[in-house]
Structure formats: structure tokens, C-alpha cells
Amino acid sequence: MATNTPIETVSTGADKAKLAAAGVLVVAAVVAYYLLGKQDLWLRVLALLVLLAGAVATFFAAETGKQLIAFGRDSVKETKKVVWPARKEAMQMTGYVFAFVFAMAIFLFATDKTIEWVLYDLILGWKR
């Protein structure tokens, strides 16, 4: 069992500026898309994509983006450690789930019809 010691990072002013710039670029992308409304669609989409790509690049240059990338890499490592069930076991468990769902559907149907019969026929007397 691996023990990961948490590393505390201090958010610097430069990181905050990078995140703010990424936010400004996202807003600028949307504004540019609508300001170029009279231009061809390909130009509007190109401006949107270029500004969004700049926002993503700026975000990943900040410490928060680097932490997100590190989290993704750690997730992939952990996923590779998972022992996946064999096909037979997976099919068996799927069968159990379907059987349980079917049994619950029948139970809920019977409960609903019983309550309906008690309320409408016995208590209220609304026989059909």
C-alpha cells in the first residue's frame, strides 16, 4: 500500500494571473464569436477555437492545471492496478442485477395495485 504524502502548494500571484487570463480568454472567445456575427461562419468558429485553445493552454500553464494533469496521470496508474472480473463473473453479476430489477419491478407493481385497490375500491368506493 503506497502512502502519498500531500504536497501543499502555495498559489502565487502569477498563477492567479494565469487563471484570470484563462477566464478572460474564455469570455473573449464567446464575445468574439458574437461580435463576428456578420462574418463567415468559419471565421467565427476559428476565432472561437483559437481563443479557447489559448484559454486551455493558459490554464494548464498554471499550477492548478498542472495539478489536474498530475491527477489524471495518477488516475490512469490506479486504473491499471484494478483487477477486472473475468467475462463469466461479469455476466453472472449482470444476470443477478437483471433478476433483482425484475423482482423489484414485480414487487412495486403489486404494491401499487394493492394500494390502488385499498384506496379506490375499499375506502373511497370508486368501483369501476
Side-chain angles (χ1 to χ4, degrees):
M1 183 169 156
T3 57
N4 293 336
T5 56
I7 299 172
E8 292 185 27
T9 57
V10 178
S11 182
T12 63
D15 281 334
K16 290 178 184 177
K18 288 176 187 175
L19 292 176
V24 168
L25 283 172
V26 168
V27 171
V30 173
V31 168
Y33 181 81
Y34 285 107
L35 283 179
L36 295 173
K38 298 193 189 270
Q39 303 297 323
D40 290 336
L41 180 63
W42 69 269
L43 183 64
R44 294 170 61 194
V45 171
L46 180 67
L48 179 76
L49 292 177
V50 166
L51 288 170
L52 285 178
V56 168
T58 305
F59 173 77
F60 283 124
E63 186 61 34
T64 307
K66 292 175 185 175
Q67 288 175 353
L68 182 63
I69 291 171
F71 176 77
R73 287 186 181 140
D74 289 343
S75 297
V76 168
K77 281 186 211 173
E78 289 298 319
T79 304
K80 289 180 181 177
K81 294 178 185 177
V82 172
V83 178
W84 298 101
R87 179 176 172 80
K88 179 182 176 188
E89 186 180 4
M91 295 299 284
Q92 190 177 30
M93 285 295 152
T94 303
Y96 291 153
V97 169
F98 278 119
F100 178 76
V101 168
F102 183 73
M104 284 303 297
I106 290 174
F107 171 76
L108 291 174
F109 175 76
T111 303
D112 180 52
K113 290 300 172 185
T114 302
I115 292 173
E116 179 184 345
W117 174 72
V118 168
L119 285 177
Y120 292 124
D121 292 345
L122 295 181
I123 295 175
L124 297 175
W126 294 354
K127 298 191 182 219
R128 291 177 214 136

